[in-house]
Amino acid sequence: MKTLYSGGEAEIVEKKSRFIATVRPVSSEEEAVAFIAEMKKKYWDARHNCSAFVIGDRQEMSRCSDDGEPAQTAGRPMLDVLLREDIHNVAVVVTRYFGGVLLGTGGLVRAYQKSVQEGLAASVIIDKKEGRRLSVGTDYTGLGKLQYLVAQNGLTLIDTVYTEKVELLLMVPSEMQEQTEKEIIEVTNGKADISWGEMVLYAMVEGKLQIF
């Protein structure tokens, strides 16, 4: 599930109009409404503060507002970007300072969509997955085969502990659990000590493992 880890802000200029996109993670409609109100207060002197948000594991709640722009030229195009990118629990407000030049319907749609895209690019978006921690104990002769297996399957290596034996601590996506255990047993001839942890939600954030 793609979701926002931290929000961002970006600005574009189209025919002298300034479009400022502010992106924020939200977990409820109340949070989204409060964020939109906060942006309207911050940019009280702007012509428009258009908004869109998507909430829920299946994007079950979505809302948008043109805030005075012609119908379907701002809020809906902004929402379409969020839905197309398949991002969950996110709200965005695009603030427009009118520059005196009319953009036309098509121009407005493109400007608001581009603003959201730039705002998302300035944010940190993560892909949350279900997985289980896995501890694999082996002697030193089996280490190379296990390291190769980890690399081949793209598993996340959390840590390696060296004592009389070697213990690899891994994060394994839930859909790869059975396959991974089977392959470990095969490459170690059944000699590895395998211990699974509880199911968790995890993601890689700027190269580091985060558990939720």
Side-chain angles (χ1 to χ4, degrees), residues 1-2 14-15 39 42 44 56 71 80-81 111 126 142 146-147 157 165 173 182 189 191:
M1 182 177 76
K2 285 171 68 177
E14 294 287 343
K15 295 183 178 179
M39 291 300 101
K42 178 179 179 179
W44 60 271
D80 286 343
V81 174
I126 59 175
L146 283 176
Q147 289 173 329
L157 179 63
K165 286 192 169 186
K182 181 182 176 183
N189 295 317
K191 295 178 181 178

Side-chain angles (χ1 to χ4, degrees), residues 16-30:
K16 298 183 180 179
S17 278
R18 293 173 61 207
F19 294 84
I20 306 166
T22 308
V23 184
R24 181 86 54 88
V26 292
S27 58
S28 67
E29 184 176 13
E30 291 76 18

Side-chain angles (χ1 to χ4, degrees), residues 73-145:
T73 62
R76 183 69 219 190
M78 291 165 59
L79 180 60
D80 286 343
V81 174
L82 300 181
L83 294 172
R84 186 170 63 242
E85 295 292 333
D86 196 27
I87 301 176
H88 304 248
N89 299 332
V90 58
V92 58
V93 174
V94 175
T95 301
R96 182 189 183 191
Y97 285 93
F98 184 55
V101 180
L102 296 174
L103 299 183
T105 302
L108 284 172
V109 170
R110 287 189 294 273
Y112 278 103
Q113 289 197 325
K114 183 179 179 183
S115 299
V116 175
Q117 289 164 348
E118 293 294 326
L120 291 175
S123 306
V124 178
I125 298 169
I126 59 175
D127 190 6
K128 287 184 180 179
K129 299 178 181 178
E130 276 194 338
R132 294 182 70 179
R133 298 185 204 225
L134 170 62
S135 170
V136 183
T138 181
D139 56 30
Y140 282 85
T141 58
L143 178 59
K145 291 178 180 178

Side-chain angles (χ1 to χ4, degrees), residues 178-194:
E178 289 186 17
Q179 170 198 334
T180 299
E181 182 163 335
K182 181 182 176 183
E183 291 181 359
I184 289 172
I185 291 170
E186 287 177 356
V187 300
T188 62
N189 295 317
K191 295 178 181 178
D193 297 320
I194 298 172

Side-chain angles (χ1 to χ4, degrees), residues 41-87:
K41 185 176 180 180
K42 178 179 179 179
Y43 296 111
W44 60 271
D45 58 339
R47 179 73 66 92
H48 307 281
N49 284 287
C50 304
S51 60
F53 63 85
V54 179
I55 294 168
D57 293 350
R58 290 174 294 280
Q59 297 179 313
E60 47 264 50
M61 179 182 290
S62 62
R63 302 281 189 277
C64 61
S65 169
D66 293 312
D67 194 41
E69 291 281 29
Q72 304 293 308
T73 62
R76 183 69 219 190
M78 291 165 59
L79 180 60
D80 286 343
V81 174
L82 300 181
L83 294 172
R84 186 170 63 242
E85 295 292 333
D86 196 27
I87 301 176

